[in-house]
PDB file of all heavy atoms in Angstrom:
ATOM      1  N   LEU A 386      17.353 -12.360 -35.036  1.00  0.00           N
ATOM      2  CA  LEU A 386      18.001 -11.856 -33.843  1.00  0.00           C
ATOM      3  C   LEU A 386      17.056 -11.956 -32.647  1.00  0.00           C
ATOM      4  O   LEU A 386      17.459 -12.332 -31.547  1.00  0.00           O
ATOM      5  CB  LEU A 386      18.375 -10.394 -34.038  1.00  0.00           C
ATOM      6  CG  LEU A 386      19.107  -9.724 -32.880  1.00  0.00           C
ATOM      7  CD1 LEU A 386      20.422 -10.433 -32.625  1.00  0.00           C
ATOM      8  CD2 LEU A 386      19.393  -8.248 -33.166  1.00  0.00           C
ATOM      9  N   SER A 387      15.754 -11.642 -32.837  1.00  0.00           N
ATOM     10  CA  SER A 387      14.836 -11.746 -31.727  1.00  0.00           C
ATOM     11  C   SER A 387      14.634 -13.200 -31.308  1.00  0.00           C
ATOM     12  O   SER A 387      14.475 -13.485 -30.130  1.00  0.00           O
ATOM     13  CB  SER A 387      13.485 -11.124 -32.101  1.00  0.00           C
ATOM     14  OG  SER A 387      12.881 -11.867 -33.157  1.00  0.00           O
ATOM     15  N   ALA A 388      14.670 -14.093 -32.276  1.00  0.00           N
ATOM     16  CA  ALA A 388      14.570 -15.525 -31.937  1.00  0.00           C
ATOM     17  C   ALA A 388      15.757 -15.961 -31.090  1.00  0.00           C
ATOM     18  O   ALA A 388      15.651 -16.736 -30.152  1.00  0.00           O
ATOM     19  CB  ALA A 388      14.450 -16.357 -33.195  1.00  0.00           C
ATOM     20  N   THR A 389      16.939 -15.482 -31.463  1.00  0.00           N
ATOM     21  CA  THR A 389      18.143 -15.811 -30.679  1.00  0.00           C
ATOM     22  C   THR A 389      18.041 -15.265 -29.280  1.00  0.00           C
ATOM     23  O   THR A 389      18.367 -15.938 -28.281  1.00  0.00           O
ATOM     24  CB  THR A 389      19.380 -15.213 -31.411  1.00  0.00           C
ATOM     25  OG1 THR A 389      19.444 -15.792 -32.701  1.00  0.00           O
ATOM     26  CG2 THR A 389      20.639 -15.622 -30.645  1.00  0.00           C
ATOM     27  N   SER A 390      17.598 -14.002 -29.158  1.00  0.00           N
ATOM     28  CA  SER A 390      17.539 -13.385 -27.830  1.00  0.00           C
ATOM     29  C   SER A 390      16.558 -14.123 -26.962  1.00  0.00           C
ATOM     30  O   SER A 390      16.754 -14.239 -25.745  1.00  0.00           O
ATOM     31  CB  SER A 390      17.117 -11.905 -27.968  1.00  0.00           C
ATOM     32  OG  SER A 390      18.062 -11.213 -28.738  1.00  0.00           O
ATOM     33  N   ARG A 391      15.470 -14.617 -27.540  1.00  0.00           N
ATOM     34  CA  ARG A 391      14.434 -15.303 -26.754  1.00  0.00           C
ATOM     35  C   ARG A 391      14.999 -16.541 -26.085  1.00  0.00           C
ATOM     36  O   ARG A 391      14.543 -16.921 -24.997  1.00  0.00           O
ATOM     37  CB  ARG A 391      13.234 -15.640 -27.633  1.00  0.00           C
ATOM     38  CG  ARG A 391      12.175 -16.466 -26.906  1.00  0.00           C
ATOM     39  CD  ARG A 391      10.941 -16.610 -27.728  1.00  0.00           C
ATOM     40  NE  ARG A 391      10.007 -17.589 -27.129  1.00  0.00           N
ATOM     41  CZ  ARG A 391       9.238 -17.349 -26.102  1.00  0.00           C
ATOM     42  NH1 ARG A 391       9.240 -16.151 -25.523  1.00  0.00           N
ATOM     43  NH2 ARG A 391       8.427 -18.265 -25.615  1.00  0.00           N
ATOM     44  N   HIS A 392      15.905 -17.237 -26.728  1.00  0.00           N
ATOM     45  CA  HIS A 392      16.448 -18.473 -26.229  1.00  0.00           C
ATOM     46  C   HIS A 392      17.724 -18.287 -25.415  1.00  0.00           C
ATOM     47  O   HIS A 392      18.379 -19.281 -25.108  1.00  0.00           O
ATOM     48  CB  HIS A 392      16.619 -19.496 -27.329  1.00  0.00           C
ATOM     49  CG  HIS A 392      15.291 -20.060 -27.810  1.00  0.00           C
ATOM     50  ND1 HIS A 392      14.522 -19.431 -28.756  1.00  0.00           N
ATOM     51  CD2 HIS A 392      14.616 -21.169 -27.441  1.00  0.00           C
ATOM     52  CE1 HIS A 392      13.416 -20.141 -28.944  1.00  0.00           C
ATOM     53  NE2 HIS A 392      13.456 -21.180 -28.180  1.00  0.00           N
ATOM     54  N   GLU A 393      18.076 -17.079 -25.127  1.00  0.00           N
ATOM     55  CA  GLU A 393      19.083 -16.855 -24.099  1.00  0.00           C
ATOM     56  C   GLU A 393      18.437 -17.059 -22.728  1.00  0.00           C
ATOM     57  O   GLU A 393      17.344 -16.567 -22.508  1.00  0.00           O
ATOM     58  CB  GLU A 393      19.656 -15.440 -24.220  1.00  0.00           C
ATOM     59  CG  GLU A 393      20.520 -15.239 -25.488  1.00  0.00           C
ATOM     60  CD  GLU A 393      21.066 -13.842 -25.532  1.00  0.00           C
ATOM     61  OE1 GLU A 393      20.685 -13.024 -24.682  1.00  0.00           O
ATOM     62  OE2 GLU A 393      21.896 -13.549 -26.418  1.00  0.00           O
ATOM     63  N   ASP A 394      19.073 -17.757 -21.875  1.00  0.00           N
ATOM     64  CA  ASP A 394      18.487 -18.000 -20.544  1.00  0.00           C
ATOM     65  C   ASP A 394      19.488 -17.690 -19.438  1.00  0.00           C
ATOM     66  O   ASP A 394      20.588 -17.249 -19.710  1.00  0.00           O
ATOM     67  CB  ASP A 394      17.972 -19.451 -20.425  1.00  0.00           C
ATOM     68  CG  ASP A 394      19.077 -20.475 -20.740  1.00  0.00           C
ATOM     69  OD1 ASP A 394      20.194 -20.284 -20.237  1.00  0.00           O
ATOM     70  OD2 ASP A 394      18.789 -21.428 -21.461  1.00  0.00           O
ATOM     71  N   ARG A 437      14.694 -25.530 -20.888  1.00  0.00           N
ATOM     72  CA  ARG A 437      15.485 -24.400 -21.403  1.00  0.00           C
ATOM     73  C   ARG A 437      15.087 -24.102 -22.859  1.00  0.00           C
ATOM     74  O   ARG A 437      14.941 -22.921 -23.233  1.00  0.00           O
ATOM     75  CB  ARG A 437      16.977 -24.709 -21.382  1.00  0.00           C
ATOM     76  CG  ARG A 437      17.584 -24.779 -20.007  1.00  0.00           C
ATOM     77  CD  ARG A 437      19.085 -25.034 -20.078  1.00  0.00           C
ATOM     78  NE  ARG A 437      19.780 -23.920 -20.711  1.00  0.00           N
ATOM     79  CZ  ARG A 437      21.107 -23.901 -20.927  1.00  0.00           C
ATOM     80  NH1 ARG A 437      21.819 -24.975 -20.608  1.00  0.00           N
ATOM     81  NH2 ARG A 437      21.665 -22.872 -21.512  1.00  0.00           N
ATOM     82  N   ALA A 439      12.202 -24.819 -24.299  1.00  0.00           N
ATOM     83  CA  ALA A 439      10.804 -24.462 -24.390  1.00  0.00           C
ATOM     84  C   ALA A 439      10.540 -23.023 -23.930  1.00  0.00           C
ATOM     85  O   ALA A 439       9.822 -22.298 -24.574  1.00  0.00           O
ATOM     86  CB  ALA A 439       9.933 -25.453 -23.603  1.00  0.00           C
ATOM     87  N   SER A 440      11.112 -22.637 -22.791  1.00  0.00           N
ATOM     88  CA  SER A 440      10.766 -21.346 -22.220  1.00  0.00           C
ATOM     89  C   SER A 440      11.850 -20.870 -21.233  1.00  0.00           C
ATOM     90  O   SER A 440      11.883 -21.306 -20.091  1.00  0.00           O
ATOM     91  CB  SER A 440       9.431 -21.404 -21.490  1.00  0.00           C
ATOM     92  OG  SER A 440       9.138 -20.163 -20.866  1.00  0.00           O
ATOM     93  N   PRO A 441      12.725 -19.996 -21.640  1.00  0.00           N
ATOM     94  CA  PRO A 441      13.718 -19.416 -20.725  1.00  0.00           C
ATOM     95  C   PRO A 441      13.030 -18.675 -19.561  1.00  0.00           C
ATOM     96  O   PRO A 441      13.570 -18.600 -18.443  1.00  0.00           O
ATOM     97  CB  PRO A 441      14.513 -18.444 -21.587  1.00  0.00           C
ATOM     98  CG  PRO A 441      14.364 -18.974 -22.978  1.00  0.00           C
ATOM     99  CD  PRO A 441      12.984 -19.552 -23.033  1.00  0.00           C
ATOM    100  N   PHE A 442      11.838 -18.088 -19.826  1.00  0.00           N
ATOM    101  CA  PHE A 442      11.144 -17.406 -18.780  1.00  0.00           C
ATOM    102  C   PHE A 442      10.643 -18.354 -17.695  1.00  0.00           C
ATOM    103  O   PHE A 442      10.773 -18.099 -16.474  1.00  0.00           O
ATOM    104  CB  PHE A 442       9.920 -16.695 -19.423  1.00  0.00           C
ATOM    105  CG  PHE A 442       9.179 -15.759 -18.483  1.00  0.00           C
ATOM    106  CD1 PHE A 442       9.833 -15.036 -17.512  1.00  0.00           C
ATOM    107  CD2 PHE A 442       7.808 -15.635 -18.572  1.00  0.00           C
ATOM    108  CE1 PHE A 442       9.158 -14.151 -16.671  1.00  0.00           C
ATOM    109  CE2 PHE A 442       7.096 -14.788 -17.752  1.00  0.00           C
ATOM    110  CZ  PHE A 442       7.788 -14.068 -16.792  1.00  0.00           C
ATOM    111  N   MET A 470      13.137 -10.475 -17.407  1.00  0.00           N
ATOM    112  CA  MET A 470      12.399 -11.219 -18.390  1.00  0.00           C
ATOM    113  C   MET A 470      10.905 -10.905 -18.275  1.00  0.00           C
ATOM    114  O   MET A 470      10.236 -10.829 -19.328  1.00  0.00           O
ATOM    115  CB  MET A 470      12.623 -12.729 -18.196  1.00  0.00           C
ATOM    116  CG  MET A 470      13.975 -13.216 -18.611  1.00  0.00           C
ATOM    117  SD  MET A 470      14.067 -15.034 -18.564  1.00  0.00           S
ATOM    118  CE  MET A 470      15.762 -15.300 -19.084  1.00  0.00           C
ATOM    119  N   ARG A 474       8.559  -9.864 -21.372  1.00  0.00           N
ATOM    120  CA  ARG A 474       7.475 -10.718 -21.789  1.00  0.00           C
ATOM    121  C   ARG A 474       6.097 -10.118 -21.575  1.00  0.00           C
ATOM    122  O   ARG A 474       5.132 -10.525 -22.193  1.00  0.00           O
ATOM    123  CB  ARG A 474       7.548 -12.056 -21.005  1.00  0.00           C
ATOM    124  CG  ARG A 474       8.762 -12.927 -21.310  1.00  0.00           C
ATOM    125  CD  ARG A 474       8.872 -13.265 -22.762  1.00  0.00           C
ATOM    126  NE  ARG A 474       7.732 -14.042 -23.267  1.00  0.00           N
ATOM    127  CZ  ARG A 474       7.441 -14.163 -24.544  1.00  0.00           C
ATOM    128  NH1 ARG A 474       8.160 -13.527 -25.460  1.00  0.00           N
ATOM    129  NH2 ARG A 474       6.442 -14.924 -24.908  1.00  0.00           N
ATOM    130  N   ALA A 477       5.082  -8.862 -24.873  1.00  0.00           N
ATOM    131  CA  ALA A 477       5.290  -9.759 -26.012  1.00  0.00           C
ATOM    132  C   ALA A 477       3.985 -10.117 -26.706  1.00  0.00           C
ATOM    133  O   ALA A 477       2.929 -10.181 -26.051  1.00  0.00           O
ATOM    134  CB  ALA A 477       6.051 -11.021 -25.562  1.00  0.00           C
ATOM    135  N   ASP A 479       3.908 -12.960 -28.743  1.00  0.00           N
ATOM    136  CA  ASP A 479       3.929 -14.428 -28.929  1.00  0.00           C
ATOM    137  C   ASP A 479       3.815 -15.128 -27.562  1.00  0.00           C
ATOM    138  O   ASP A 479       4.630 -15.992 -27.245  1.00  0.00           O
ATOM    139  CB  ASP A 479       5.172 -14.849 -29.676  1.00  0.00           C
ATOM    140  CG  ASP A 479       6.446 -14.380 -28.987  1.00  0.00           C
ATOM    141  OD1 ASP A 479       6.371 -13.369 -28.233  1.00  0.00           O
ATOM    142  OD2 ASP A 479       7.500 -15.005 -29.208  1.00  0.00           O
ATOM    143  N   ILE A 480       2.843 -14.744 -26.752  1.00  0.00           N
ATOM    144  CA  ILE A 480       2.706 -15.357 -25.420  1.00  0.00           C
ATOM    145  C   ILE A 480       2.202 -16.788 -25.545  1.00  0.00           C
ATOM    146  O   ILE A 480       1.602 -17.166 -26.539  1.00  0.00           O
ATOM    147  CB  ILE A 480       1.760 -14.528 -24.542  1.00  0.00           C
ATOM    148  CG1 ILE A 480       0.373 -14.420 -25.183  1.00  0.00           C
ATOM    149  CG2 ILE A 480       2.326 -13.181 -24.261  1.00  0.00           C
ATOM    150  CD1 ILE A 480      -0.661 -13.745 -24.328  1.00  0.00           C
ATOM    151  N   ASN A 481       2.505 -17.613 -24.543  1.00  0.00           N
ATOM    152  CA  ASN A 481       2.120 -19.008 -24.574  1.00  0.00           C
ATOM    153  C   ASN A 481       1.797 -19.480 -23.157  1.00  0.00           C
ATOM    154  O   ASN A 481       1.889 -18.718 -22.175  1.00  0.00           O
ATOM    155  CB  ASN A 481       3.229 -19.866 -25.219  1.00  0.00           C
ATOM    156  CG  ASN A 481       4.582 -19.611 -24.540  1.00  0.00           C
ATOM    157  OD1 ASN A 481       4.693 -19.773 -23.296  1.00  0.00           O
ATOM    158  ND2 ASN A 481       5.588 -19.251 -25.286  1.00  0.00           N
ATOM    159  N   ASP A 483       3.445 -21.459 -21.221  1.00  0.00           N
ATOM    160  CA  ASP A 483       4.604 -21.464 -20.300  1.00  0.00           C
ATOM    161  C   ASP A 483       4.808 -20.082 -19.686  1.00  0.00           C
ATOM    162  O   ASP A 483       5.290 -20.002 -18.564  1.00  0.00           O
ATOM    163  CB  ASP A 483       5.856 -21.919 -21.047  1.00  0.00           C
ATOM    164  CG  ASP A 483       5.900 -23.427 -21.229  1.00  0.00           C
ATOM    165  OD1 ASP A 483       5.205 -24.127 -20.476  1.00  0.00           O
ATOM    166  OD2 ASP A 483       6.650 -23.895 -22.111  1.00  0.00           O
ATOM    167  N   ASP A 484       4.462 -19.043 -20.413  1.00  0.00           N
ATOM    168  CA  ASP A 484       4.577 -17.713 -19.814  1.00  0.00           C
ATOM    169  C   ASP A 484       3.609 -17.593 -18.619  1.00  0.00           C
ATOM    170  O   ASP A 484       3.989 -17.040 -17.571  1.00  0.00           O
ATOM    171  CB  ASP A 484       4.206 -16.608 -20.837  1.00  0.00           C
ATOM    172  CG  ASP A 484       5.239 -16.502 -21.943  1.00  0.00           C
ATOM    173  OD1 ASP A 484       6.425 -16.735 -21.663  1.00  0.00           O
ATOM    174  OD2 ASP A 484       4.866 -16.148 -23.066  1.00  0.00           O
TER     175      ASP A 484
END
Side-chain angles (χ1 to χ4, degrees):
L386 183 61
S387 64
T389 301
S390 300
R391 175 171 171 77
H392 285 85
E393 291 181 352
D394 55 44
R437 291 183 64 181
S440 175
F442 188 37
M470 288 188 180
R474 293 304 297 163
D479 56 336
I480 59 176
N481 53 55
D483 282 339
D484 291 329

